Amino acid sequence: MRQFLACLAIWMTALASPSDAAPWPAPADPFVSDLAEVLPAPEEEALRSQLRGLRAETGVEMTVLTIASRGDYDPSPSLETFATGLFNGWGIGDPARNDGILVLVATKDREMRVELGAAYDQGYDVLAQDIVSRFFVPDIRDGNLARGIVGGSEEVMARIARRHAAALPAEALPPEGRRLPGWLPVALFAAGAGLLAFRRRLGDGLAAAAPSLRRCPSCGRFGLAQIRGAAGADIAQTEGRGMVRTTCRHCGFREERDDRHDRAQRGGKDADGFGGGRSSGGGATGRW
């Protein structure tokens, strides 16, 4: 009996261990969640106002989150894994466009990440790294977290969110110490715009053709399948809340989430929540 009670106590202790902590922090609102309390009230409200305006004008959902440490939540092997999981757990961005953006700053871990939705190509990853390295990290390293977070977020809004919403390719970053010919940016812009338009049309056609042509957010391979509704019915035709189950036939990825369908026929979003977008792990990381 004593051995049984001892084993039971060990089992109960394991159940109460930190591994049962919530995997992600809860957002304070869709725009700014300053859980680390590093933003003075005026700066926080000004940033929130800019992000609200960005969403109203472009439809891009961008949110800024500060935490003390990702170790306060379920552990992840890297900041990148944590940010992607949190992005998808919150469902940042429009589910049809997947153009959401997460700015995550972990103050005690001394690291941050700009996580981009699945629709942003690698050119925007390069641009995000430039913004992280030149606008976020220097001020944060110097102890001015508010200026770094606000200033860096403004750069992300202007150079990534608004540019992508206007169907423009990521701006080219010339090598240091070299100047490009005056005609080259114009030519690159025209070629990139044409390529982006063709890619989007092709991608829209493929996505409409079959769900299996979507990439898995876990393994990156094609082969996702979605089932909507408790009995497989298309809950896009019903009101209220339904279930969306996503699975991958290659790696076993599986996800179930509620989907609210009073959001303007799948195109809108909750006034006080996120739209249900996804990230495939793109973005940029900085440390100080």
PDB file of all heavy atoms in Angstrom, residues 43 55 57 85 89 100 113 133 135 144 147 160 183 203 232-233 251 273:
ATOM      1  N   GLU A  43       3.022  55.337 -25.284  1.00  0.00           N
ATOM      2  CA  GLU A  43       3.601  54.631 -26.421  1.00  0.00           C
ATOM      3  C   GLU A  43       2.774  53.402 -26.796  1.00  0.00           C
ATOM      4  O   GLU A  43       2.567  53.111 -27.973  1.00  0.00           O
ATOM      5  CB  GLU A  43       5.041  54.203 -26.114  1.00  0.00           C
ATOM      6  CG  GLU A  43       6.056  55.326 -26.191  1.00  0.00           C
ATOM      7  CD  GLU A  43       6.138  56.129 -24.900  1.00  0.00           C
ATOM      8  OE1 GLU A  43       5.240  55.983 -24.037  1.00  0.00           O
ATOM      9  OE2 GLU A  43       7.104  56.905 -24.752  1.00  0.00           O
ATOM     10  N   ARG A  55      -4.947  47.628 -39.840  1.00  0.00           N
ATOM     11  CA  ARG A  55      -5.936  46.593 -40.129  1.00  0.00           C
ATOM     12  C   ARG A  55      -7.142  47.171 -40.850  1.00  0.00           C
ATOM     13  O   ARG A  55      -7.666  46.557 -41.780  1.00  0.00           O
ATOM     14  CB  ARG A  55      -6.372  45.895 -38.839  1.00  0.00           C
ATOM     15  CG  ARG A  55      -7.290  44.710 -39.093  1.00  0.00           C
ATOM     16  CD  ARG A  55      -7.387  43.817 -37.886  1.00  0.00           C
ATOM     17  NE  ARG A  55      -8.679  43.957 -37.228  1.00  0.00           N
ATOM     18  CZ  ARG A  55      -9.116  43.139 -36.267  1.00  0.00           C
ATOM     19  NH1 ARG A  55      -8.348  42.145 -35.858  1.00  0.00           N
ATOM     20  NH2 ARG A  55     -10.279  43.312 -35.713  1.00  0.00           N
ATOM     21  N   GLU A  57      -7.235  49.815 -42.784  1.00  0.00           N
ATOM     22  CA  GLU A  57      -6.906  50.306 -44.125  1.00  0.00           C
ATOM     23  C   GLU A  57      -6.470  49.209 -45.088  1.00  0.00           C
ATOM     24  O   GLU A  57      -6.715  49.307 -46.299  1.00  0.00           O
ATOM     25  CB  GLU A  57      -5.792  51.357 -44.016  1.00  0.00           C
ATOM     26  CG  GLU A  57      -6.219  52.611 -43.258  1.00  0.00           C
ATOM     27  CD  GLU A  57      -5.037  53.463 -42.832  1.00  0.00           C
ATOM     28  OE1 GLU A  57      -3.931  53.247 -43.386  1.00  0.00           O
ATOM     29  OE2 GLU A  57      -5.200  54.312 -41.951  1.00  0.00           O
ATOM     30  N   GLY A  85       4.409  28.437 -33.470  1.00  0.00           N
ATOM     31  CA  GLY A  85       3.308  27.799 -32.758  1.00  0.00           C
ATOM     32  C   GLY A  85       2.346  28.816 -32.177  1.00  0.00           C
ATOM     33  O   GLY A  85       1.121  28.630 -32.224  1.00  0.00           O
ATOM     34  N   GLY A  89      -1.401  29.241 -33.115  1.00  0.00           N
ATOM     35  CA  GLY A  89      -2.332  29.047 -32.018  1.00  0.00           C
ATOM     36  C   GLY A  89      -3.307  30.203 -31.883  1.00  0.00           C
ATOM     37  O   GLY A  89      -4.494  30.001 -31.604  1.00  0.00           O
ATOM     38  N   GLY A 100      -0.839  37.775 -41.941  1.00  0.00           N
ATOM     39  CA  GLY A 100      -0.660  38.309 -40.598  1.00  0.00           C
ATOM     40  C   GLY A 100       0.807  38.456 -40.230  1.00  0.00           C
ATOM     41  O   GLY A 100       1.691  37.881 -40.868  1.00  0.00           O
ATOM     42  N   ARG A 113      11.523  38.171 -32.320  1.00  0.00           N
ATOM     43  CA  ARG A 113      11.259  37.621 -33.647  1.00  0.00           C
ATOM     44  C   ARG A 113      10.128  38.383 -34.316  1.00  0.00           C
ATOM     45  O   ARG A 113       9.153  38.764 -33.662  1.00  0.00           O
ATOM     46  CB  ARG A 113      10.906  36.136 -33.581  1.00  0.00           C
ATOM     47  CG  ARG A 113      10.602  35.547 -34.957  1.00  0.00           C
ATOM     48  CD  ARG A 113      10.860  34.085 -35.017  1.00  0.00           C
ATOM     49  NE  ARG A 113      10.550  33.523 -36.325  1.00  0.00           N
ATOM     50  CZ  ARG A 113      11.395  33.464 -37.341  1.00  0.00           C
ATOM     51  NH1 ARG A 113      12.625  33.931 -37.207  1.00  0.00           N
ATOM     52  NH2 ARG A 113      11.046  32.929 -38.503  1.00  0.00           N
ATOM     53  N   SER A 133      17.600  43.863 -37.428  1.00  0.00           N
ATOM     54  CA  SER A 133      19.001  44.182 -37.136  1.00  0.00           C
ATOM     55  C   SER A 133      19.259  45.678 -36.999  1.00  0.00           C
ATOM     56  O   SER A 133      20.109  46.096 -36.205  1.00  0.00           O
ATOM     57  CB  SER A 133      19.900  43.613 -38.240  1.00  0.00           C
ATOM     58  OG  SER A 133      19.763  42.208 -38.318  1.00  0.00           O
ATOM     59  N   PHE A 135      16.683  48.280 -36.637  1.00  0.00           N
ATOM     60  CA  PHE A 135      15.703  49.130 -35.959  1.00  0.00           C
ATOM     61  C   PHE A 135      15.268  48.577 -34.606  1.00  0.00           C
ATOM     62  O   PHE A 135      15.123  49.343 -33.655  1.00  0.00           O
ATOM     63  CB  PHE A 135      14.485  49.349 -36.862  1.00  0.00           C
ATOM     64  CG  PHE A 135      14.789  50.146 -38.087  1.00  0.00           C
ATOM     65  CD1 PHE A 135      15.149  49.522 -39.268  1.00  0.00           C
ATOM     66  CD2 PHE A 135      14.754  51.533 -38.061  1.00  0.00           C
ATOM     67  CE1 PHE A 135      15.451  50.252 -40.411  1.00  0.00           C
ATOM     68  CE2 PHE A 135      15.052  52.277 -39.182  1.00  0.00           C
ATOM     69  CZ  PHE A 135      15.403  51.633 -40.372  1.00  0.00           C
ATOM     70  N   ASN A 144      16.567  50.879 -24.371  1.00  0.00           N
ATOM     71  CA  ASN A 144      15.378  51.655 -24.725  1.00  0.00           C
ATOM     72  C   ASN A 144      14.397  50.735 -25.451  1.00  0.00           C
ATOM     73  O   ASN A 144      14.247  50.787 -26.671  1.00  0.00           O
ATOM     74  CB  ASN A 144      15.745  52.854 -25.598  1.00  0.00           C
ATOM     75  CG  ASN A 144      14.646  53.907 -25.621  1.00  0.00           C
ATOM     76  OD1 ASN A 144      13.468  53.585 -25.468  1.00  0.00           O
ATOM     77  ND2 ASN A 144      15.031  55.157 -25.804  1.00  0.00           N
ATOM     78  N   ARG A 147      11.336  52.461 -27.449  1.00  0.00           N
ATOM     79  CA  ARG A 147      11.689  53.066 -28.733  1.00  0.00           C
ATOM     80  C   ARG A 147      12.001  51.989 -29.769  1.00  0.00           C
ATOM     81  O   ARG A 147      11.610  52.101 -30.938  1.00  0.00           O
ATOM     82  CB  ARG A 147      12.887  54.000 -28.581  1.00  0.00           C
ATOM     83  CG  ARG A 147      13.211  54.757 -29.868  1.00  0.00           C
ATOM     84  CD  ARG A 147      14.182  55.885 -29.627  1.00  0.00           C
ATOM     85  NE  ARG A 147      15.501  55.399 -29.230  1.00  0.00           N
ATOM     86  CZ  ARG A 147      16.514  56.190 -28.908  1.00  0.00           C
ATOM     87  NH1 ARG A 147      16.345  57.513 -28.906  1.00  0.00           N
ATOM     88  NH2 ARG A 147      17.684  55.693 -28.561  1.00  0.00           N
ATOM     89  N   ILE A 160       6.771  46.215 -44.808  1.00  0.00           N
ATOM     90  CA  ILE A 160       6.316  44.845 -45.045  1.00  0.00           C
ATOM     91  C   ILE A 160       4.803  44.787 -45.213  1.00  0.00           C
ATOM     92  O   ILE A 160       4.303  44.383 -46.259  1.00  0.00           O
ATOM     93  CB  ILE A 160       6.778  43.910 -43.906  1.00  0.00           C
ATOM     94  CG1 ILE A 160       8.306  43.828 -43.872  1.00  0.00           C
ATOM     95  CG2 ILE A 160       6.168  42.522 -44.075  1.00  0.00           C
ATOM     96  CD1 ILE A 160       8.855  42.912 -42.792  1.00  0.00           C
ATOM     97  N   TRP A 183      18.521  52.735 -63.386  1.00  0.00           N
ATOM     98  CA  TRP A 183      17.441  52.041 -64.087  1.00  0.00           C
ATOM     99  C   TRP A 183      17.131  50.682 -63.500  1.00  0.00           C
ATOM    100  O   TRP A 183      16.042  50.126 -63.720  1.00  0.00           O
ATOM    101  CB  TRP A 183      17.819  51.843 -65.564  1.00  0.00           C
ATOM    102  CG  TRP A 183      19.125  51.117 -65.747  1.00  0.00           C
ATOM    103  CD1 TRP A 183      20.360  51.679 -65.881  1.00  0.00           C
ATOM    104  CD2 TRP A 183      19.319  49.694 -65.764  1.00  0.00           C
ATOM    105  NE1 TRP A 183      21.320  50.710 -65.997  1.00  0.00           N
ATOM    106  CE2 TRP A 183      20.719  49.479 -65.934  1.00  0.00           C
ATOM    107  CE3 TRP A 183      18.475  48.597 -65.669  1.00  0.00           C
ATOM    108  CZ2 TRP A 183      21.258  48.200 -65.997  1.00  0.00           C
ATOM    109  CZ3 TRP A 183      19.005  47.326 -65.727  1.00  0.00           C
ATOM    110  CH2 TRP A 183      20.391  47.137 -65.896  1.00  0.00           C
ATOM    111  N   GLY A 203      -1.293  30.464 -57.636  1.00  0.00           N
ATOM    112  CA  GLY A 203      -1.562  29.946 -56.296  1.00  0.00           C
ATOM    113  C   GLY A 203      -3.037  29.895 -55.986  1.00  0.00           C
ATOM    114  O   GLY A 203      -3.532  28.942 -55.387  1.00  0.00           O
ATOM    115  N   GLY A 232     -18.447  16.553 -40.883  1.00  0.00           N
ATOM    116  CA  GLY A 232     -17.865  16.709 -42.204  1.00  0.00           C
ATOM    117  C   GLY A 232     -18.631  17.664 -43.082  1.00  0.00           C
ATOM    118  O   GLY A 232     -18.276  17.863 -44.235  1.00  0.00           O
ATOM    119  N   ALA A 233     -19.695  18.287 -42.577  1.00  0.00           N
ATOM    120  CA  ALA A 233     -20.456  19.233 -43.385  1.00  0.00           C
ATOM    121  C   ALA A 233     -19.674  20.512 -43.540  1.00  0.00           C
ATOM    122  O   ALA A 233     -18.794  20.829 -42.744  1.00  0.00           O
ATOM    123  CB  ALA A 233     -21.803  19.514 -42.719  1.00  0.00           C
ATOM    124  N   CYS A 251       3.431  13.703 -42.425  1.00  0.00           N
ATOM    125  CA  CYS A 251       4.111  13.753 -41.130  1.00  0.00           C
ATOM    126  C   CYS A 251       3.187  13.530 -39.947  1.00  0.00           C
ATOM    127  O   CYS A 251       3.630  13.548 -38.804  1.00  0.00           O
ATOM    128  CB  CYS A 251       4.835  15.093 -40.964  1.00  0.00           C
ATOM    129  SG  CYS A 251       3.718  16.518 -40.767  1.00  0.00           S
ATOM    130  N   GLY A 273     -10.858  39.889 -32.060  1.00  0.00           N
ATOM    131  CA  GLY A 273     -10.034  38.697 -32.121  1.00  0.00           C
ATOM    132  C   GLY A 273      -9.270  38.606 -33.427  1.00  0.00           C
ATOM    133  O   GLY A 273      -9.240  39.549 -34.213  1.00  0.00           O
TER     134      GLY A 273
END
